[in-house]
Amino acid sequence: MGANSSSISELPENEYLKKLSGAESISENDPFWNQLLSFSFTTPTNSADLKLLEEATISICKSLVEKNPRTGNLGSLIKVFLSRTKELKISAECQNHLFIWQAHNALFIICCLLKVFISRMSEEELQLHFTYEDKAPGSYGTECEDLIEELLCCLIQLIVEIPLLDITYSISLEAVTTLIVFLSCQLFRKEILRDSIVHKYLMRGRCLPYTSRLVKTLLYNFIRQERSPPPGTHVFQQQSDGGGLLYGIASGVATGLWTVFTLGGVGSKPTQQLEQCSPLANQSLLLLLVLANLTDAPDTPNPYRQAVMSFKNTQDSTAFSSSNPHAFQINFNSLYTALCDQQKSDQATLLLYMLLHQNGNVRTYVLARTDIENLVLPILEILYHVEERNSHHVYMALIILLILTEDDGFNRSIHEVILKNITWYAERVLTEISLGSLLILVVIRTIQYNMTRTRDKYLHTNCLAALANMSAQFRSLHQYAAQRIISLFSLLSKKHNKVLEQATQSLRGSAQDLNVIEEVIRMMLEIINSCLTNSLHHNPNLVYALLYKRDLFEQFRTHPSFQDIMQNIDLVISFFSARLEQAGAELSVERVLEIIKQGAVALPKDRLRKFPELKFKYVEEEQPEEFFIPYVWSLVYNSAVALYWNPHDIQLFTMDSG
């Protein structure tokens, strides 16, 4: 079979891979490494291709796991990679492909090996594989730990210092992916990792000073959405003058591993999916989410979360707080545009949630935008297609709306934004509607979906909380939005009657169900009341819908749970009903609306009882990591450009895959 392996099936018999995983120790200065690392390859960018690669090389990896404690070849490979990276920045500036080419190949092999090692052993065992010395068992010292730290630090330096060019794209992507793999020990644990060796290295020591630069670079990778360069861009091309001894050696063994490895790479036509995505942007966002959700150390808060919470706009000239050494500046306009464009993915929605919830600078900036519809519309579309999304994506979208509706300025401005022809809203043709009315329609639709399908109280509560926050600023509600508010109340009323009947028959669980439905009805009445008491004259369509369905409210007038809140609603219904009766029978819709508008001016406001303002604030759970860490790793697991993970090995992965 010789040195040439041009197909995946031949890789297990490749002489260079067999030597790497064999019983012979290979010095880091051995010419073997030039031969091993001189192959032409484009990194696979989907899990299916990576699965094929893993299955083909698993025997090699298992052999290395078994023999490496005696040979130390993994440590030698890492030292070779570290030596290659010293020239990377100069190589990129000089367009020198050779060092970039071999460093990339070394890192790709390291990444593949690490993934197998991490899935099969504890972090303590992994440490022992990072060096080889003739020492007594149990006497491994700090050198093995330092090699891990040196590799982690090198990867971070590579990400933040190497300019992103066509020839460096693949190695930048590989560095980000390798850091994700280093952290992936969480995937193979049932419990949340709180005392991880890798976490300590990343949050202390030599890696710590790079925190803000790493977070900033990962954010800019997400913002730029740089697509993969044409296949083979980073592959070494021999220079016409021969390029010296190293070039000669490299070109002479370019077939050492495989000539052209075509897993969606060199020599194959990229799929439409690959053409439309940016693997580096996707992986960078996943790494950022993983880092920001690492658990705090007992004596030190997570520095990556601190950086995410505190960065400012490049146009912000105020001084940084001395209490946070990880703060930095970034272009908020570019970040906002990227967030608006990328909301179809779970991870982009999760990033938006984190920034709005944790970074006051971002939240203030977003709420001040005059084109807020560019952000809100994609969020509404997520909720509208609730049956196609996983529950966690829906929750994130809903909580984002809840956070936004905490701001009165947002609640006013969304009714001033007029939208035309919302094509994805299928229930009714909406040729012209305000963003506020559309938001109400989508949230009500989500509530109705939840009532008939998932029956999740938490989802109900957050939907109603968002509507309640908005209710005092309802303006010029679209007639369809007003109808849907009353239709939702009608649905709740029917549900209440059914549950009440079950309760009178003493059916099991009916009393608790009755309490829940009455809480929801109470909240809906408070939302309607809040609109009537604060903006009655702005919402004739809601009064019209209220009058049209006035019989719905009869049963709640004397109910002890609703009697107080029904006073205002009953007053409004009585007042306008009387004016309509005076106007005569057979009134047109236009005439009814005209009478309502005139009556809204005439109704004495002091007759309406004042209730406390409806305001609900999003509060994160006491142990958010119990939700967010599995959620983030489920996104890594399901990512189209992530490494292939064997589902049989996964312990933490319990989230729905959507």
Side-chain angles (χ1 to χ4, degrees):
M1 193 162 292
N4 299 323
S5 291
S6 57
S7 72
I8 296 176
S9 61
E10 295 174 1
L11 291 178
E13 299 304 318
N14 181 275
E15 62 178 274
Y16 295 100
L17 292 178
K18 288 176 76 173
K19 183 174 181 180
L20 174 67
S21 60
E24 176 190 348
S25 293
I26 307 170
S27 163
E28 60 193 274
N29 300 313
D30 197 301
F32 162 81
W33 299 109
N34 276 331
Q35 298 168 326
L36 174 71
L37 302 178
S38 299
F39 59 86
S40 304
F41 175 73
T42 296
T43 306
T45 53
N46 63 70
S47 296
D49 289 346
L50 284 156
K51 180 181 180 182
L52 293 175
L53 178 62
E54 176 170 297
E55 289 172 347
T57 55
I58 194 66
S59 61
I60 298 289
C61 294
K62 285 181 176 178
S63 176
L64 188 64
V65 169
E66 179 187 341
K67 297 184 174 65
N68 185 69
R70 292 184 294 278
T71 65
N73 286 343
L74 176 63
S76 295
L77 173 60
I78 290 168
K79 289 173 183 176
V80 169
F81 166 71
L82 294 172
S83 69
R84 296 287 198 277
T85 57
K86 292 173 183 175
E87 307 293 335
L88 274 183
K89 194 170 184 180
I90 296 174
S91 298
E93 292 169 356
C94 301
Q95 295 284 307
N96 184 336
H97 289 236
L98 178 63
F99 281 96
I100 298 171
W101 176 44
Q102 290 206 339
H104 168 269
N105 289 350
L107 184 54
F108 176 75
I109 295 173
I110 290 168
C111 186
C112 292
L113 294 174
L114 266 179
K115 186 172 72 70
V116 175
F117 275 55
I118 286 172
S119 67
R120 283 169 165 72
M121 61 186 70
S122 67
E123 285 188 300
E124 290 75 14
E125 292 172 306
L126 180 66
Q127 278 188 298
L128 302 182
H129 278 274
F130 264 71
T131 192
Y132 165 74
E133 289 182 284
D134 283 323
K135 286 186 176 182
S139 63
Y140 289 92
T142 57
E143 185 176 341
C144 66
E145 297 179 11
D146 290 346
L147 188 57
I148 294 178
E149 185 175 30
E150 192 172 350
L151 177 56
L152 288 168
C153 197
C154 175
L155 292 172
I156 293 173
Q157 289 172 332
L158 196 161
I159 293 167
V160 302
E161 293 180 353
I162 303 301
L164 187 58
L165 310 169
D166 278 1
I167 59 171
T168 61
Y169 188 98
S170 290
I171 194 168
S172 296
L173 173 59
E174 209 61 56
V176 172
T177 303
T178 305
L179 278 177
I180 292 175
V181 169
F182 254 120
L183 290 158
S184 68
C185 48
Q186 179 64 87
L187 271 174
F188 309 100
R189 303 290 185 275
K190 290 182 179 179
E191 70 288 342
I192 301 296
L193 277 179
R194 302 183 187 280
D195 192 27
S196 164
I197 295 167
V198 174
H199 293 188
K200 289 177 183 176
Y201 284 133
L202 288 171
M203 294 200 279
R204 301 177 187 174
R206 293 172 57 189
C207 295
L208 185 61
Y210 292 97
T211 296
S212 58
R213 290 178 66 192
L214 178 58
V215 171
K216 184 176 182 177
T217 302
L218 295 175
L219 275 172
Y220 270 125
N221 285 348
F222 165 71
I223 288 169
R224 290 172 181 143
Q225 292 291 316
E226 293 281 356
R227 297 187 179 186
S228 297
T233 302
H234 75 290
V235 175
F236 167 67
Q237 305 293 335
Q238 187 177 0
Q239 293 183 349
S240 57
D241 63 357
L245 178 61
L246 276 177
Y247 279 81
I249 292 173
S251 63
V253 295
T255 55
L257 194 52
W258 46 74
T259 309
V260 179
F261 190 42
T262 56
L263 290 181
V266 182
S268 71
K269 186 177 180 180
T271 63
Q272 188 176 10
Q273 181 185 5
L274 290 179
E275 288 175 344
Q276 291 177 344
C277 76
S278 169
L280 180 60
N282 186 77
Q283 294 295 80
S284 295
L285 179 52
L286 289 172
L287 176 58
L288 177 62
L289 293 174
V290 170
L291 290 170
N293 284 283
L294 297 179
T295 55
D296 294 332
D299 54 344
T300 313
N302 178 346
Y304 302 97
R305 188 183 301 123
Q306 283 190 307
V308 167
M309 291 170 64
S310 59
F311 69 81
K312 301 192 300 184
N313 195 354
T314 48
Q315 296 180 348
D316 188 344
S317 58
T318 59
F320 287 112
S321 169
S322 58
S323 62
N324 188 352
H326 306 300
F328 62 91
Q329 289 181 300
I330 201 167
N331 187 309
F332 276 18
N333 183 57
S334 301
L335 176 61
Y336 180 80
T337 301
L339 288 168
C340 292
D341 291 344
Q342 300 300 319
Q343 286 306 307
K344 283 189 171 69
S345 75
D346 270 79
Q347 46 264 45
T349 304
L350 180 54
L351 175 65
L352 175 59
Y353 157 76
M354 285 173 52
L355 295 179
L356 288 175
H357 178 49
Q358 299 178 354
N359 190 312
N361 301 318
V362 173
R363 184 169 59 254
T364 301
Y365 176 86
V366 167
L367 289 167
R369 292 286 301 207
T370 56
D371 60 347
I372 192 68
E373 68 273 15
N374 291 340
L375 187 69
V376 176
L377 280 172
I379 298 300
L380 294 183
E381 201 168 348
I382 293 168
L383 291 175
Y384 184 80
H385 296 293
V386 58
E387 64 277 358
E388 300 170 16
R389 304 289 181 182
N390 71 68
S391 61
H392 302 96
H393 199 184
V394 172
Y395 277 137
M396 288 298 104
L398 189 54
I399 292 168
I400 286 167
L401 287 185
L402 180 55
I403 292 171
L404 292 174
T405 60
E406 290 171 14
D407 182 77
D408 286 341
F410 171 84
N411 296 329
R412 284 190 296 270
S413 66
I414 55 175
H415 293 287
E416 298 167 3
V417 177
I418 304 302
L419 308 168
K420 296 182 184 294
N421 300 316
I422 307 300
T423 55
W424 47 263
Y425 193 91
E427 275 84 351
R428 179 167 173 154
V429 176
L430 299 175
T431 54
E432 187 171 289
I433 189 171
S434 71
L435 178 61
S437 288
L438 181 64
L439 195 159
I440 292 166
L441 285 174
V442 173
V443 171
I444 287 175
R445 185 179 183 274
T446 306
I447 294 172
Q448 291 178 323
Y449 175 85
N450 185 51
M451 285 177 66
T452 57
R453 304 283 184 88
T454 54
R455 300 182 182 180
D456 186 325
K457 183 184 175 183
Y458 180 79
L459 194 142
H460 259 350
T461 302
N462 282 285
C463 283
L464 291 167
L467 289 177
N469 285 346
M470 296 167 58
S471 58
Q473 276 85 33
F474 282 172
R475 295 289 187 277
S476 304
L477 289 184
H478 191 280
Q479 60 178 15
Y480 186 53
Q483 288 170 18
R484 299 309 295 161
I485 291 172
I486 305 304
S487 294
L488 174 59
F489 187 81
S490 175
L491 189 65
L492 291 168
S493 177
K494 291 175 184 175
K495 179 84 171 172
H496 178 264
N497 291 339
K498 183 179 178 181
V499 175
L500 187 60
E501 184 181 342
Q502 292 172 343
T504 56
Q505 296 172 6
S506 301
L507 295 178
R508 186 178 178 184
S510 56
Q512 185 177 357
D513 291 343
L514 185 62
N515 288 336
V516 171
I517 193 69
E518 288 189 349
E519 282 179 21
V520 174
I521 287 176
R522 170 81 190 187
M523 204 160 174
M524 275 302 299
L525 289 171
E526 288 179 340
I527 289 167
I528 294 169
N529 177 69
S530 174
C531 177
L532 296 178
T533 53
N534 290 284
S535 53
L536 174 68
H537 58 293
H538 289 298
N539 292 291
N541 283 326
L542 182 63
V543 177
Y544 183 98
L546 196 65
L547 293 171
Y548 190 73
K549 293 283 189 178
R550 70 190 83 176
D551 294 345
L552 280 175
F553 299 88
E554 280 294 326
Q555 62 178 306
F556 301 109
R557 291 176 66 187
T558 56
H559 194 292
S561 298
F562 313 119
Q563 207 167 10
D564 59 336
I565 204 76
M566 275 300 302
Q567 289 179 22
N568 284 343
I569 296 172
D570 195 33
L571 173 64
V572 169
I573 290 174
S574 301
F575 178 83
F576 285 99
S577 295
R579 293 182 75 93
L580 290 174
E581 286 175 11
Q582 291 173 9
E586 303 297 328
L587 300 175
S588 67
V589 173
E590 291 75 16
R591 179 61 181 143
V592 171
L593 285 171
E594 185 182 336
I595 293 169
I596 289 171
K597 289 175 184 176
Q598 293 169 353
V601 178
L603 176 66
K605 290 187 178 180
D606 57 0
R607 290 180 61 188
L608 295 172
R609 178 182 169 184
K610 291 292 183 184
F611 285 85
E613 184 182 6
L614 291 179
K615 271 298 169 189
F616 293 89
K617 197 172 181 65
Y618 168 69
V619 179
E620 200 167 73
E621 298 294 325
E622 288 184 11
Q623 291 185 304
E625 66 268 15
E626 300 294 341
F627 172 86
F628 287 104
I629 291 175
Y631 180 30
V632 168
W633 279 106
S634 76
L635 300 180
V636 175
Y637 180 92
N638 288 307
S639 171
V641 294
L643 282 164
Y644 166 73
W645 309 99
N646 190 327
H648 299 298
D649 297 332
I650 304 303
Q651 296 293 313
L652 183 70
F653 181 63
T654 56
M655 315 289 284
D656 63 18
S657 59

Short mmCIF file of all heavy atoms in Angstrom, two decimals, residues 628-647:
data_model
loop_
_atom_site.label_atom_id
_atom_site.label_comp_id
_atom_site.label_asym_id
_atom_site.label_seq_id
_atom_site.Cartn_x
_atom_site.Cartn_y
_atom_site.Cartn_z
N PHE A 628 -28.49 26.21 31.15
CA PHE A 628 -27.72 26.76 30.03
C PHE A 628 -26.55 25.87 29.61
O PHE A 628 -26.25 25.79 28.41
CB PHE A 628 -27.23 28.17 30.37
CG PHE A 628 -28.32 29.18 30.33
CD1 PHE A 628 -28.87 29.67 31.51
CD2 PHE A 628 -28.84 29.61 29.13
CE1 PHE A 628 -29.91 30.58 31.48
CE2 PHE A 628 -29.88 30.53 29.09
CZ PHE A 628 -30.41 31.02 30.27
N ILE A 629 -25.88 25.22 30.53
CA ILE A 629 -24.74 24.39 30.13
C ILE A 629 -25.18 23.21 29.27
O ILE A 629 -24.61 22.98 28.19
CB ILE A 629 -23.91 23.96 31.36
CG1 ILE A 629 -23.21 25.19 31.96
CG2 ILE A 629 -22.88 22.89 30.99
CD1 ILE A 629 -22.46 24.93 33.24
N PRO A 630 -26.20 22.43 29.68
CA PRO A 630 -26.67 21.38 28.76
C PRO A 630 -27.20 21.95 27.45
O PRO A 630 -27.00 21.35 26.39
CB PRO A 630 -27.80 20.70 29.56
CG PRO A 630 -27.51 20.99 30.98
CD PRO A 630 -26.90 22.36 30.98
N TYR A 631 -27.85 23.11 27.51
CA TYR A 631 -28.39 23.72 26.29
C TYR A 631 -27.27 24.08 25.32
O TYR A 631 -27.32 23.75 24.13
CB TYR A 631 -29.20 24.96 26.68
CG TYR A 631 -29.84 25.70 25.52
CD1 TYR A 631 -30.24 25.03 24.37
CD2 TYR A 631 -30.05 27.07 25.58
CE1 TYR A 631 -30.84 25.71 23.32
CE2 TYR A 631 -30.65 27.76 24.54
CZ TYR A 631 -31.04 27.07 23.41
OH TYR A 631 -31.63 27.74 22.37
N VAL A 632 -26.23 24.74 25.84
CA VAL A 632 -25.11 25.13 24.98
C VAL A 632 -24.45 23.90 24.35
O VAL A 632 -24.16 23.87 23.15
CB VAL A 632 -24.08 25.95 25.78
CG1 VAL A 632 -22.79 26.12 24.98
CG2 VAL A 632 -24.65 27.32 26.13
N TRP A 633 -24.26 22.85 25.16
CA TRP A 633 -23.60 21.66 24.62
C TRP A 633 -24.50 20.90 23.66
O TRP A 633 -24.01 20.21 22.75
CB TRP A 633 -23.08 20.77 25.75
CG TRP A 633 -21.77 21.29 26.25
CD1 TRP A 633 -21.54 21.95 27.41
CD2 TRP A 633 -20.52 21.24 25.55
NE1 TRP A 633 -20.22 22.32 27.49
CE2 TRP A 633 -19.57 21.89 26.37
CE3 TRP A 633 -20.11 20.72 24.33
CZ2 TRP A 633 -18.23 22.03 25.99
CZ3 TRP A 633 -18.79 20.86 23.94
CH2 TRP A 633 -17.86 21.51 24.77
N SER A 634 -25.81 21.03 23.80
CA SER A 634 -26.70 20.43 22.81
C SER A 634 -26.54 21.14 21.47
O SER A 634 -26.63 20.52 20.41
CB SER A 634 -28.15 20.49 23.28
OG SER A 634 -28.69 21.79 23.15
N LEU A 635 -26.28 22.47 21.52
CA LEU A 635 -26.05 23.21 20.27
C LEU A 635 -24.74 22.79 19.62
O LEU A 635 -24.66 22.66 18.40
CB LEU A 635 -26.04 24.72 20.57
CG LEU A 635 -27.31 25.32 21.17
CD1 LEU A 635 -27.15 26.81 21.40
CD2 LEU A 635 -28.51 25.04 20.29
N VAL A 636 -23.72 22.58 20.44
CA VAL A 636 -22.44 22.09 19.91
C VAL A 636 -22.64 20.72 19.27
O VAL A 636 -22.18 20.44 18.16
CB VAL A 636 -21.37 22.02 21.01
CG1 VAL A 636 -20.08 21.40 20.48
CG2 VAL A 636 -21.10 23.40 21.59
N TYR A 637 -23.33 19.86 19.98
CA TYR A 637 -23.57 18.49 19.52
C TYR A 637 -24.29 18.47 18.17
O TYR A 637 -23.99 17.67 17.29
CB TYR A 637 -24.40 17.75 20.57
CG TYR A 637 -24.72 16.31 20.23
CD1 TYR A 637 -23.88 15.27 20.64
CD2 TYR A 637 -25.86 15.98 19.51
CE1 TYR A 637 -24.17 13.96 20.33
CE2 TYR A 637 -26.16 14.67 19.20
CZ TYR A 637 -25.31 13.66 19.62
OH TYR A 637 -25.61 12.35 19.30
N ASN A 638 -25.26 19.36 18.01
CA ASN A 638 -26.09 19.36 16.81
C ASN A 638 -25.58 20.26 15.69
O ASN A 638 -26.20 20.32 14.63
CB ASN A 638 -27.52 19.79 17.16
CG ASN A 638 -28.26 18.72 17.94
OD1 ASN A 638 -28.32 17.58 17.52
ND2 ASN A 638 -28.79 19.08 19.09
N SER A 639 -24.49 20.97 15.95
CA SER A 639 -24.01 21.91 14.95
C SER A 639 -23.58 21.20 13.66
O SER A 639 -22.93 20.16 13.68
CB SER A 639 -22.82 22.70 15.50
OG SER A 639 -22.22 23.46 14.48
N ALA A 640 -23.92 21.80 12.54
CA ALA A 640 -23.59 21.20 11.24
C ALA A 640 -22.09 21.19 10.98
O ALA A 640 -21.61 20.40 10.18
CB ALA A 640 -24.31 21.98 10.12
N VAL A 641 -21.34 22.08 11.63
CA VAL A 641 -19.90 22.11 11.38
C VAL A 641 -19.10 21.68 12.61
O VAL A 641 -17.90 21.89 12.68
CB VAL A 641 -19.44 23.51 10.92
CG1 VAL A 641 -20.01 23.84 9.57
CG2 VAL A 641 -19.80 24.57 11.95
N ALA A 642 -19.77 21.09 13.58
CA ALA A 642 -19.05 20.60 14.76
C ALA A 642 -18.43 19.25 14.46
O ALA A 642 -18.72 18.62 13.45
CB ALA A 642 -20.00 20.47 15.96
N LEU A 643 -17.57 18.81 15.34
CA LEU A 643 -17.02 17.46 15.20
C LEU A 643 -18.11 16.43 15.40
O LEU A 643 -19.11 16.68 16.06
CB LEU A 643 -15.92 17.24 16.24
CG LEU A 643 -14.57 17.88 15.91
CD1 LEU A 643 -13.71 17.93 17.15
CD2 LEU A 643 -13.86 17.12 14.81
N TYR A 644 -17.90 15.28 14.81
CA TYR A 644 -18.85 14.18 15.02
C TYR A 644 -18.67 13.65 16.43
O TYR A 644 -17.57 13.33 16.87
CB TYR A 644 -18.60 13.06 14.01
CG TYR A 644 -19.31 11.78 14.37
CD1 TYR A 644 -20.69 11.68 14.24
CD2 TYR A 644 -18.61 10.69 14.87
CE1 TYR A 644 -21.35 10.52 14.59
CE2 TYR A 644 -19.26 9.52 15.22
CZ TYR A 644 -20.63 9.44 15.08
OH TYR A 644 -21.29 8.28 15.43
N TRP A 645 -19.79 13.56 17.16
CA TRP A 645 -19.76 12.99 18.51
C TRP A 645 -20.58 11.71 18.50
O TRP A 645 -21.72 11.69 18.05
CB TRP A 645 -20.37 13.95 19.53
CG TRP A 645 -19.79 15.34 19.47
CD1 TRP A 645 -20.34 16.42 18.85
CD2 TRP A 645 -18.56 15.78 20.03
NE1 TRP A 645 -19.53 17.51 19.01
CE2 TRP A 645 -18.43 17.15 19.72
CE3 TRP A 645 -17.56 15.15 20.77
CZ2 TRP A 645 -17.33 17.91 20.12
CZ3 TRP A 645 -16.47 15.91 21.16
CH2 TRP A 645 -16.36 17.26 20.84
N ASN A 646 -19.99 10.64 18.99
CA ASN A 646 -20.70 9.36 19.06
C ASN A 646 -21.80 9.46 20.12
O ASN A 646 -21.51 9.66 21.29
CB ASN A 646 -19.72 8.24 19.41
CG ASN A 646 -20.35 6.87 19.25
OD1 ASN A 646 -21.55 6.69 19.47
ND2 ASN A 646 -19.55 5.90 18.85
N PRO A 647 -23.08 9.32 19.71
CA PRO A 647 -24.18 9.49 20.68
C PRO A 647 -24.13 8.50 21.83
O PRO A 647 -24.64 8.77 22.92
CB PRO A 647 -25.43 9.30 19.82
CG PRO A 647 -24.99 8.59 18.59
CD PRO A 647 -23.58 9.03 18.36
#
